[in-house]
Each structure stands twice: as structure tokens, then as C-alpha cells.
Amino acid sequence: MSEREILELRAKVDFIDKEIVRHLNERARAVLEIKRLKQGDNVALYDPKREEQIMANAVANNEGPLYDDTIRELFQRIIHEIRSLESE
Amino acid sequence: MSEREILELRAKVDFIDKEIVRHLNERARAVLEIKRLKQGDNVALYDPKREEQIMANAVANNEGPLYDDTIRELFQRIIHEIRSLESE
């Protein structure tokens, strides 16, 4: 019986993963667009306050079961990866 | 002019981040449920084939601008973090 349930849950995980990939790329595109606008205005690209705000938001939205520290770590990676993309 | 655009794009990023946090936790809950079912059936918890399938799906769904390697790295972290959660 639980074999079918496991397959259903795996299909759910696959669907969620698809959404995560889509959102990560959507996020990257928005950040690249912000960078383009900032460069046009000659505004500093790096804004540590903004990064703090992103982390605070992510943790505020965390209802678990993942730990706040895990969310922080994952978002640090995401921000870092998108930033490396920008600098090319 | 672009100040307003930047604020709009930041609001978009905040919305996306909220979705990412929600999906990460939804994913964690599904994986914990799979673990519970497997334990009931006395099935091995770790399944390297399944992990390969997850990575292949994530990369297949990647339309950029993020690199496939970045998607792989992020999913390896996500899988790892959710697995550490399971083992508590």
C-alpha cells in the first residue's frame, strides 16, 4: 500500500523541485535587471543592508520543518550564486 | 525613474523568496513523510538512483540564466539539509 503513496509523494517532490528551479531563475533574472538599472544610474551594486533584509524576510517566512539556520545558509548560497552570475 | 523600478523588482524578489521558503519546507515535509512510510515498510531509506533522478530533473527544468552546475550544487545542499533533518 505505501508503495503507491511513496510514488505520489515523489511526484509531489518532483513538482516542487520544478517550481524551485523556476523561481531560482526568475530571481536571477530580477537581480540581473536590478543590476542593469543600478549601472545606468551609477548606483553602488553591493548593498549589505539589502542582503540583511533578504535574510530577515526569508527567516520570517520560515514555518519549518527546516531550521532558520538552514534557510539562512541556503539563501546565502543562492545570493552568492546569482552574484557570481552578475559579475560575468 | 529607475528607483521605482528597482523597488518593484526588489518586491518581486521578496515575493519569489517567500515562495522558495514555502517550497523548501513543503519539500522537507514530503521527504519526511516518505521516510515514515519507508520505515513502516522496512525499506532502505537511502536510494542513490532516486538522488540521480532528482538531479537530472532539476537540470532538465533549468532554462537559465543559472548554470546547470549551480542548480546541481543548490539541490545537493537542499537534499543534504533535508536529510540531516530526517536523521534527528
Side-chain angles (χ1 to χ4, degrees):
Chain A
M1 263 314 275
S2 59
E3 179 64 20
R4 196 173 58 86
E5 284 175 88
I6 289 172
L7 289 177
E8 280 171 9
L9 284 162
R10 283 184 165 184
K12 189 180 175 175
V13 169
D14 288 344
F15 176 77
I16 293 169
D17 286 354
K18 198 170 174 170
E19 289 293 289
I20 293 173
V21 172
R22 190 169 65 82
H23 280 119
L24 289 171
N25 279 311
E26 218 177 311
R27 190 190 200 286
R29 278 192 297 273
V31 172
L32 289 171
E33 181 65 13
I34 291 169
K35 190 202 174 194
R36 200 184 59 80
L37 291 168
K38 280 182 163 186
Q39 280 175 328
D41 278 5
N42 227 351
V43 173
L45 292 181
Y46 182 58
D47 180 350
K49 283 279 167 218
R50 170 63 181 154
E51 192 164 328
E52 273 174 37
Q53 192 197 338
I54 288 167
M55 298 312 250
N57 282 346
V59 166
N61 289 318
N62 182 32
E63 295 181 347
L66 290 171
Y67 297 117
D68 288 351
D69 277 354
T70 302
I71 293 292
R72 256 186 229 105
E73 238 180 84
L74 288 173
F75 272 85
Q76 251 147 14
R77 277 247 58 82
I78 292 167
I79 290 170
H80 171 83
E81 291 296 344
I82 293 179
R83 192 173 295 139
S84 347
L85 199 66
E86 289 178 279
S87 64
E88 278 179 16
Chain B
M1 263 313 275
S2 59
E3 179 65 20
R4 195 173 57 88
E5 286 176 87
I6 289 172
L7 289 176
E8 280 171 8
L9 284 162
R10 282 183 166 184
K12 189 180 175 175
V13 168
D14 288 345
F15 176 78
I16 294 169
D17 286 354
K18 198 169 174 171
E19 289 293 290
I20 293 174
V21 172
R22 189 169 67 81
H23 280 119
L24 288 171
N25 280 311
E26 217 178 312
R27 190 190 200 285
R29 279 193 296 274
V31 172
L32 289 171
E33 181 64 13
I34 290 170
K35 189 201 175 196
R36 200 184 58 79
L37 291 169
K38 280 183 162 184
Q39 281 176 327
D41 279 5
N42 226 353
V43 173
L45 292 182
Y46 181 60
D47 180 350
K49 283 278 167 219
R50 172 61 181 156
E51 193 165 326
E52 272 174 39
Q53 192 196 338
I54 288 167
M55 298 311 250
N57 281 345
V59 166
N61 289 318
N62 182 31
E63 295 180 347
L66 291 170
Y67 297 117
D68 287 352
D69 277 354
T70 302
I71 293 293
R72 257 186 228 104
E73 238 180 82
L74 288 173
F75 272 85
Q76 251 146 15
R77 278 253 50 87
I78 292 167
I79 290 170
H80 171 83
E81 292 296 344
I82 293 179
R83 192 173 295 140
S84 347
L85 197 68
E86 289 177 278
S87 64
E88 278 180 13

